[in-house]
Amino acid sequence: MEIQNKAMLITYADSLGKNLKDVHQVLKEDIGDAIGGVHLLPFFPSTGDRGFAPADYTRVDAAFGDWADVEALGEEYYLMFDFMINHISRESVMYQDFKKNHDDSKYKDFFIRWEKFWAKAGENRPTQADVDLIYKRKDKAPTQEITFDDGTTENLWNTFGEEQIDIDVNSAIAKEFIKTTLEDMVKHGANLIRLDAFAYAVKKVDTNDFFVEPEIWDTLNGVREILTPLKAEILPEIHEHYSIPKKINDHGYFTYDFALPMTTLYTLYSGKTNQLAKWLKMSPMKQFTTLDTHDGIGVVDARDILTDDEIDYASEQLYKVGANVKKTYSSASYNNLDIYQINSTYYSALGNDDAAYLLSRVFQVFAPGIPQIYYVGLLAGENDIALLESTKEGRNINRHYYTREEVKSEVKRPVVANLLKLLSWRNESPAFDLAGSITVDTPTDTTIVVTRQDENGQNKAVLTADAANKTFEIVENGQTVMSSDDLTQN
């Protein structure tokens, strides 16, 4: 199935029920036509990071089901899988064979061998300045020691968690692995591949080892050359200043709109619509929009769309307005990997306020691109403090495990029922043609009018909203589709 201009659900395989069969059942019985695509977060055998330390891409984790379950979903929804191009688990065949056979291993060049990497740069490298220059996710050099079966040791590049060992994407053996893995994903139903952490994949001396140009384009183009004949696309994942996703988009790739979440929060906290309007006018059509994901709410992505003062204001308001949101949940004490993300569900970030939340999703629907809705957000989920405290993992505040019974109860809430209605309408409306147009006006400081029109100008959807009062009306071709009054009438 080709990518469709319909909302995509983001979910783990065991978050809407126990497994992939349950996810499929939830979609058919409880969600209906509100969702057209599914981003299945990593469902392969993994040794950490909730699936993002894959050990084997050839199998579905038996706890979730099997390839037949994945393929059954693909018959009704377009699918996105994750490929962690930067790293793989220590339990992978590659790592274990290298550990056992050292330089006799066929995988001796699969990983980035720290000492060998720096030896090519000259004597006495790396210096402290070299290490300081690296864009790191840790407070030390991104290395991990490996002890071979022959008793010798060396260090491997290790950007993220202890289980996630970096791959040398430029080695012949890694390129072969990348090609066969991507081809296998498409064979099993993937229409879109999310390249997780791709900006870290290229390492080069005398750079910060993050989004290294021009080499990063060689990596992206190499992946595209594999997937284009298979009629599949890639979605590079990167949390950074919006100018970098713009570069990626200019090269013809889908990108994420990670600036919208914080910009929308600022709009709803302040009641001012000027910055949202500015961003909507700047945004590309070939993108997937988000308000929430399996990670935290990104801050750095909105820089220079919001001023530093506005970002600080929105961040502080999140802790004041947000329900059960504390700064400590986004700190090292709760294993937060990224100081530029705040851990909270989007619903709780808006104080569990139904009107504000539904308006946030209305803004997302009218933004350029295809909406992605995280499963907790689809059900307007509150912060899961019990899961957070039991695991001491900050991001688990937004990773509630729903039972089938909970889902059936949640979809009856007016805010969820109206969100599903909104998405169902958006999925079928020709006004949201990605080849069409968007115009944005701000009649007053607190109001915004967004018009979406198809390429031929025959269909038009108009949103009129007041961010201060949290009110809105949607009109399509002269007929009212939905308004904020609907929420109070349910």
Side-chain angles (χ1 to χ4, degrees):
M1 183 181 295
E2 294 185 0
I3 296 170
Q4 300 178 52
N5 184 13
K6 293 184 177 182
M8 172 178 272
L9 170 71
I10 309 168
T11 186
Y12 292 98
D14 60 345
S15 290
L16 293 171
K18 296 179 180 179
N19 51 41
L20 289 164
K21 281 187 171 66
D22 281 355
V23 170
H24 201 165
Q25 192 174 23
V26 164
L27 285 167
K28 290 199 292 186
E29 295 182 6
D30 305 308
I31 306 303
D33 55 8
I35 291 299
V38 181
H39 173 194
L40 283 176
L41 291 162
F43 51 86
F44 311 101
S46 172
T47 56
D49 197 16
R50 192 79 188 266
F52 283 88
D56 183 358
Y57 282 103
T58 67
R59 297 184 292 121
V60 175
D61 189 317
F64 305 146
D66 55 28
W67 281 120
D69 296 319
V70 174
E71 291 165 10
L73 270 173
E75 292 176 3
E76 298 181 56
Y77 307 92
Y78 70 98
L79 299 181
M80 180 161 74
F81 300 170
D82 288 278
F83 179 55
M84 279 54 79
I85 194 169
N86 178 72
H87 53 260
I88 199 162
S89 169
R90 291 189 298 188
E91 293 301 314
S92 64
V93 168
M94 299 79 169
Y95 186 92
Q96 291 300 315
D97 190 275
F98 181 45
K99 181 176 180 294
K100 178 181 179 181
N101 298 307
H102 203 171
D103 283 326
D104 291 328
S105 170
K106 65 180 290 188
Y107 299 108
K108 65 180 181 180
D109 298 322
F110 191 84
F111 301 100
I112 302 174
R113 301 167 71 166
W114 181 261
E115 287 83 5
K116 289 181 179 292
F117 176 89
W118 288 106
K120 294 177 183 177
E123 295 183 4
N124 301 318
R125 303 286 292 270
T127 64
Q128 188 58 50
D130 289 326
V131 175
D132 291 344
L133 182 60
I134 298 170
Y135 189 98
K136 294 182 289 294
R137 299 293 292 264
K138 306 175 178 181
D139 58 1
K140 65 180 185 68
T143 63
Q144 183 179 147
E145 187 176 81
I146 179 172
T147 301
F148 299 99
D149 286 5
D150 63 14
T152 60
T153 63
E154 62 179 87
N155 286 289
L156 301 180
W157 204 298
N158 175 215
T159 298
F160 295 98
E162 295 301 299
E163 288 293 329
Q164 296 156 304
I165 308 301
D166 290 27
I167 297 168
D168 184 352
V169 295
N170 291 316
S171 66
I173 188 69
K175 287 181 178 180
E176 178 186 345
F177 160 75
I178 291 168
K179 185 174 188 295
T180 56
T181 301
L182 293 174
E183 289 174 340
D184 195 53
M185 285 182 168
V186 176
K187 183 182 75 174
H188 289 300
N191 312 104
L192 192 63
I193 307 294
R194 177 183 185 268
L195 283 189
D196 178 72
F198 84 96
Y200 294 90
V202 175
K203 279 77 169 178
K204 185 179 179 181
V205 172
D206 297 326
T207 74
N208 68 352
D209 302 298
F210 183 85
F211 200 78
V212 177
E213 297 182 277
E215 288 82 359
I216 194 67
W217 300 113
D218 295 333
T219 300
L220 285 177
N221 290 337
V223 172
R224 180 154 64 180
E225 287 171 6
I226 295 167
L227 293 177
T228 297
L230 304 176
K231 297 183 179 179
E233 298 213 37
I234 61 175
L235 177 57
E237 181 264 347
I238 185 170
H239 282 280
E240 249 304 329
H241 190 275
Y242 73 87
S243 59
I244 294 184
K246 183 180 185 306
K247 280 186 181 182
I248 298 168
N249 198 269
D250 288 344
H251 279 72
Y253 296 97
F254 271 104
T255 48
Y256 275 109
D257 182 357
F258 286 139
L260 187 63
M262 185 58 74
T263 304
T264 299
L265 287 180
Y266 170 78
T267 301
L268 293 171
Y269 292 153
S270 69
K272 298 176 183 178
T273 56
N274 59 321
Q275 300 296 46
L276 176 62
K278 178 178 73 174
W279 177 236
L280 295 180
K281 292 175 184 178
M282 294 167 58
S283 294
M285 282 290 182
K286 191 172 183 177
Q287 68 171 357
F288 284 89
T289 66
T290 67
L291 291 182
D292 47 2
T293 69
H294 62 287
D295 288 332
I297 298 169
V299 176
V300 66
D301 311 86
R303 281 184 177 164
D304 294 330
I305 297 162
L306 303 178
T307 66
D308 289 347
D309 287 345
E310 288 168 340
I311 287 176
D312 290 344
Y313 165 81
S315 299
E316 289 303 315
Q317 286 297 112
L318 200 160
Y319 291 115
K320 291 179 182 178
V321 175
N324 298 314
V325 184
K326 298 179 181 179
K327 290 185 178 181
T328 186
Y329 297 157
S330 299
S331 69
S333 61
Y334 283 83
N335 296 304
N336 195 51
L337 288 175
D338 192 336
I339 61 173
Y340 299 113
Q341 292 185 347
I342 298 174
N343 293 320
S344 173
T345 74
Y346 211 78
Y347 182 66
S348 285
L350 289 167
N352 298 341
D353 183 296
D354 287 1
Y357 186 69
L358 189 59
L359 182 52
S360 75
R361 292 299 178 182
V362 170
F363 287 150
Q364 181 185 12
V365 158
F366 271 81
I370 302 173
Q372 282 190 344
I373 294 86
Y374 184 55
Y375 76 99
V376 176
L378 188 69
L379 299 176
E382 299 182 17
N383 283 335
D384 190 336
I385 303 301
L387 181 61
L388 169 83
E389 291 295 353
S390 67
T391 60
K392 296 299 179 182
E393 171 64 55
R395 291 176 298 174
N396 280 347
I397 199 171
N398 188 28
R399 296 179 178 180
H400 181 70
Y401 292 86
Y402 287 92
T403 65
R404 290 285 289 109
E405 292 72 23
E406 279 182 290
V407 173
K408 288 190 176 300
S409 175
E410 294 300 296
V411 296
K412 295 176 183 177
R413 293 166 54 206
V415 64
V416 178
N418 277 289
L419 175 55
L420 296 179
K421 176 185 172 184
L422 172 70
L423 294 173
S424 296
W425 165 74
R426 189 278 178 215
N427 287 345
E428 300 301 325
S429 173
F432 294 90
D433 181 0
L434 296 186
S437 64
I438 180 171
T439 58
V440 186
D441 298 297
T442 49
T444 70
D445 287 347
T446 67
T447 58
I448 188 169
V449 178
V450 185
T451 302
R452 292 290 302 270
Q453 203 160 351
D454 62 7
E455 187 177 18
N456 297 323
Q458 296 179 342
N459 296 279
K460 182 167 67 173
V462 181
L463 165 65
T464 303
D466 189 317
N469 297 329
K470 313 298 184 288
T471 57
F472 70 90
E473 182 181 32
I474 298 172
V475 175
E476 181 183 35
N477 297 332
Q479 300 293 317
T480 299
V481 174
M482 179 181 286
S483 75
S484 46
D485 292 339
D486 293 334
L487 194 60
T488 58
Q489 291 170 2
N490 278 285

